[in-house]
Amino acid sequence: MIILKKSFFRLLLAIILTQATICILEARPISYPNSWTVMQQYNWEKTTVHIHYSPNAKNSIGFLGAYYEKEKDRLYSLQWNHLIFRKNQKKSQSNLYSKIHLGRLNKEISQTNVFHSAFNLSYDWETRKHFLLYAAEVEYTDDIGLKSTTFHQKARIGIAPYVAPYGKLHTWVMLQFEHHPDDSDSDNHFILTPMLRFFKGDYLCEIGLNSNNQILFNSIIRF
Amino acid sequence: MKTITLILSIFLSSLNFLSAEISEKNNFDITIHVKGLVCDFCARSVEKTFSKTEVVERIKVDLDKGLIELQLTEGSTLSDKKIQKLIKASGYALESIERNK
């Protein structure tokens, strides 16, 4: 039984470590100076891995890789995140971030590599008990003979049921609204995802189930 | 008699614990009030930044009060200007600095 428990926890840790989150990328895409961040996102649309280096508290650069479930396309790109503005207050913090990625999209259907880029702006406001986020993104794909631009936006609200001290386990209850007006499947135009965020030290993970009964799992490690 | 001894032991150990708490609090040389400390990542950020400074021996972050307490190495100093620079480098805003010694 003990061996089984150990194996389970090892497996869980391995999943978190190897699939390392985009979730906080939604809120905090930049870490402290001279640090690394590994992030992973798994949702209805894609599986994403980010490996980022923050030379300072205002910028981070790194690799973004994604696998799109439906199209079976693969993305390899470079991403730059920039903190445009931060307002630090006694009990709250708000941030405006920009994120740009430029890369190559490997299209499964045509077996071709095409240019892909995206520009994202996100604003968040956080206290120790409340969290708000809005993010909008424009994606551009330069397919052979078919150039396309798509728009997505999302918002999140979160409440911490208790306030944990530094270094202890923090828990958040969150609700995410997604709007994908350009998606070919109308079920994906509006998606609602209730989720739980767990946060301790340098580790964070999020688990949710969306309105189409699809799982969301995100994780992040900073070092 | 046994009960009295037990109560006395508990009382004495509580006193000991209390004095240890007070002693730990008094060991910090500088208390820094910071704006924007709202999450563990923020606390981690200032902790890592200050830990890299050679003169900082020990650091304690209190998210509830939005403050950082520093214990410096024997005989060393850390100027207000340097503290302000480190807080800014961490991504936060300095509110005030208190020197405890």
Side-chain angles (χ1 to χ4, degrees):
Chain A
M1 189 65 187
I2 293 168
I3 294 166
L4 271 176
K5 270 187 179 176
K6 273 187 180 173
S7 304
F8 173 74
F9 284 117
R10 274 183 195 160
L11 180 67
L12 195 65
L13 189 67
I15 289 169
I16 292 169
L17 287 170
T18 53
Q19 307 238 336
T21 303
I22 200 174
C23 61
I24 212 153
L25 198 70
E26 309 290 4
R28 299 280 166 84
I30 301 163
S31 187
Y32 44 83
N34 301 313
S35 64
W36 288 88
T37 307
V38 182
M39 298 181 266
Q40 160 276 330
Q41 176 192 44
Y42 171 79
N43 64 27
W44 63 273
E45 187 189 19
K46 59 193 172 188
T47 303
T48 318
V49 176
H50 294 245
I51 302 166
H52 275 244
Y53 174 71
S54 297
N56 53 51
K58 285 198 167 185
N59 294 284
S60 77
I61 47 167
F63 167 78
L64 163 68
Y67 176 72
Y68 294 83
E69 301 289 336
K70 197 164 64 180
E71 301 87 355
K72 303 198 183 312
D73 295 343
R74 287 176 170 81
L75 172 70
Y76 307 93
S77 65
L78 287 174
Q79 182 161 312
W80 172 45
N81 303 316
H82 178 62
L83 173 65
I84 300 168
F85 167 81
R86 170 173 288 174
K87 189 169 186 181
N88 288 304
Q89 289 184 302
K90 185 74 186 162
K91 300 282 178 192
S92 69
Q93 185 190 113
S94 50
N95 302 289
L96 179 66
Y97 290 104
S98 68
K99 298 168 212 166
I100 297 169
H101 79 242
L102 303 170
R104 194 184 72 176
L105 185 69
N106 180 241
K107 303 276 287 181
E108 175 69 17
I109 195 162
S110 56
Q111 291 292 312
T112 53
N113 290 312
V114 299
F115 174 74
H116 183 275
S117 65
F119 177 69
N120 180 307
L121 267 181
S122 72
Y123 175 80
D124 66 79
W125 173 84
E126 188 179 350
T127 69
R128 296 203 67 206
K129 286 182 182 174
H130 304 101
F131 176 85
L132 285 175
L133 166 91
Y134 172 76
E137 184 173 88
V138 176
E139 274 186 280
Y140 173 76
T141 307
D142 189 5
D143 208 341
I144 300 160
L146 182 70
K147 291 176 183 173
S148 71
T149 304
T150 55
F151 173 76
H152 321 265
Q153 57 183 339
K154 70 170 73 172
R156 264 194 199 194
I157 55 168
I159 293 172
Y162 63 93
V163 176
Y166 173 45
K168 302 291 177 190
L169 179 71
H170 297 246
T171 305
W172 287 83
V173 179
M174 292 184 152
L175 191 59
Q176 177 172 283
F177 305 89
E178 287 173 67
H179 181 215
H180 305 274
D182 300 320
D183 197 282
S184 56
D185 187 346
S186 61
D187 283 349
N188 297 329
H189 286 185
F190 291 97
I191 297 172
L192 193 63
T193 313
M195 65 178 83
L196 288 173
R197 172 187 281 187
F198 301 103
F199 188 177
K200 190 176 188 303
D202 289 324
Y203 306 94
L204 182 150
C205 81
E206 291 177 334
I207 299 163
L209 188 69
N210 74 15
S211 44
N212 295 329
N213 281 323
Q214 292 155 318
I215 290 168
L216 171 147
F217 178 76
N218 300 326
S219 62
I220 182 167
I221 303 165
R222 286 183 168 174
F223 52 93
Chain B
M1 186 60 189
K2 273 185 183 174
T3 315
I4 293 168
T5 314
L6 182 69
I7 291 169
L8 200 63
S9 308
I10 293 168
F11 178 70
L12 286 172
S13 52
S14 315
L15 275 182
N16 195 28
F17 175 73
L18 196 65
S19 67
E21 282 268 294
I22 292 164
S23 154
E24 188 190 315
K25 200 173 182 179
N26 289 340
N27 274 340
F28 289 107
D29 303 303
I30 305 169
T31 303
I32 309 160
H33 295 262
V34 182
K35 286 182 184 174
L37 278 185
V38 292
C39 68
D40 262 33
F41 274 150
C42 314
R44 202 76 171 158
S45 177
V46 290
E47 194 179 66
K48 294 263 184 187
T49 307
F50 276 88
S51 300
K52 284 175 188 165
T53 310
E54 283 177 5
V55 297
V56 175
E57 188 166 292
R58 198 157 61 102
I59 178 166
K60 187 182 168 189
V61 183
D62 189 331
L63 280 177
D64 286 328
K65 294 174 185 164
L67 56 87
I68 306 161
E69 291 179 294
L70 301 178
Q71 186 186 332
L72 304 182
T73 54
E74 194 70 36
S76 58
T77 55
L78 193 60
S79 68
D80 287 4
K81 199 176 170 183
K82 178 77 177 171
I83 291 171
Q84 188 164 18
K85 199 177 165 186
L86 291 170
I87 296 289
K88 198 177 171 188
S90 313
Y92 305 96
L94 176 69
E95 193 180 13
S96 63
I97 302 168
E98 285 172 38
R99 303 271 170 181
N100 305 323
K101 284 177 184 173

